[in-house]
């Protein structure tokens, strides 16, 4: 299996920073199994969340991969998620966990809520995401929604069922008041199978 761990250790965009804002748009929204200093709902623009990345190690197997979230460039789109303020040592275990194709990337993010400028009630900063682009070997890409739903409904891996990953994400976005049409439609398809 391709392994991005070593590549990510070179991607030190925030070297010398005491803390880093990590933007979660997938499992990180509902499963933050790392220490963080604070968290805040946030969004990034110009990106769309899609279940286009294969999972051979967490929500599927090499023989029957699952599908997990990545981001696709999409002008005018807004992707909501959760930003975590972390210390830099948190990244190394995440690099290992997300080694199947994800690379650290730097993005501008905007906080929702009270942080920053009190007039507009929002503020922006540079944040970090884990991104799986189309040139990584585990990338599966676009497919009809029903085919993606069937694949998710049947896949299981060491971290659990692919269905639970999707439904937890759909619920977390609903609870944030930031539903995502692609995720909602996919969750409905999977439930109806
Ligand atoms: C996230 O939830 O932001 C995430 C997605 C894929 C890999 C790592 C993190």
């Amino acid at each position: 299996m391709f392994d991005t761990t070593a590549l990510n250790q070179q991607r030190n965009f925030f070297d010398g920073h005491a803390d880093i804002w990590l933007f979660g748009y997938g499992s990180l929204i509902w499963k933050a199994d790392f220490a963080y200093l604070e968290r805040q709902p946030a969004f990034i623009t110009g990106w769309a969340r899609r279940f286009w990345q294969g999972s051979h190690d967490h929500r599927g197997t090499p023989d029957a991969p699952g599908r997990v979230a990545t981001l696709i460039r999409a002008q005018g789109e807004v992707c909501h998620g959760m930003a975590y303020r972390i210390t830099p040592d948190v990244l190394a275990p995440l690099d290992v966990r997300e080694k199947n194709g994800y690379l650290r990337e730097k993005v501008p993010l905007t906080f929702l809520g009270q942080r920053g400028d009190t007039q507009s009630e929002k503020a922006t900063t540079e944040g970090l995401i884990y991104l799986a682009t189309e040139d990584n070997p585990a990338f599966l890409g676009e497919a009809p929604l029903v085919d993606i739903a069937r694949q998710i409904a049947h896949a299981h891996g060491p971290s659990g069922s692919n269905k639970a990953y999707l439904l937890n994400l759909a619920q977390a976005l609903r609870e944030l008041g930031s539903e995502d049409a692609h995720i909602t439609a996919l969750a409905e398809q999977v439930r109806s199978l």
Side-chain angles (χ1 to χ4, degrees):
M1 202 168 69
F2 186 58
D3 186 336
T4 53
T5 311
L7 278 173
N8 272 326
Q9 319 246 302
Q10 313 295 316
R11 297 170 77 81
N12 289 311
F13 305 119
F14 296 95
D15 248 9
H17 290 227
D19 54 21
I20 299 166
W21 280 98
L22 172 66
F23 179 78
Y25 60 87
S27 60
L28 294 187
I29 298 181
W30 55 272
K31 189 180 170 205
D33 52 3
F34 51 84
Y36 58 86
L37 304 168
E38 60 176 310
R39 69 176 185 172
Q40 181 85 26
F43 62 85
I44 57 176
T45 55
W47 297 94
R49 180 174 16 231
R50 292 288 180 270
F51 269 69
W52 290 5
Q53 174 69 0
S55 178
H56 305 77
D57 54 350
H58 284 297
R59 300 286 167 170
T61 62
D63 290 339
R67 277 180 176 260
V68 287
T70 187
L71 296 170
I72 307 298
R73 284 195 193 276
Q75 217 182 352
E77 290 275 335
V78 175
C79 176
H80 285 267
M82 186 64 79
Y84 297 88
R85 191 163 66 84
I86 57 167
T87 49
D89 57 296
V90 168
L91 293 180
L94 276 175
D95 291 343
V96 174
R97 186 179 113 182
E98 305 303 341
K99 64 182 182 299
N100 190 27
Y102 288 92
L103 287 174
R104 299 180 188 176
E105 207 55 71
K106 202 165 83 165
V107 291
L109 66 84
T110 305
F111 296 104
L112 291 175
Q114 291 86 21
R115 172 168 288 275
D117 174 348
T118 50
Q119 273 188 327
S120 62
E121 295 232 323
K122 67 183 185 187
T124 61
T125 191
E126 286 293 317
L128 188 82
I129 56 170
Y130 280 86
L131 179 67
T133 58
E134 61 188 12
D135 55 5
N136 88 86
F139 191 81
L140 296 175
E142 190 166 13
L145 201 70
V146 64
D147 292 348
I148 296 182
R150 281 200 194 100
Q151 187 173 353
I152 291 173
H154 294 116
H156 296 262
S159 298
S161 77
N162 204 173
K163 181 175 174 175
Y165 173 107
L166 169 65
L167 297 186
N168 284 336
L169 177 58
Q171 186 184 337
L173 288 168
R174 211 167 32 247
E175 285 170 6
L176 278 176
S178 305
E179 276 190 57
D180 174 320
H182 174 70
I183 305 304
T184 304
L186 199 49
E188 274 169 22
Q189 276 279 350
V190 167
R191 279 198 207 92
S192 74
L193 288 174

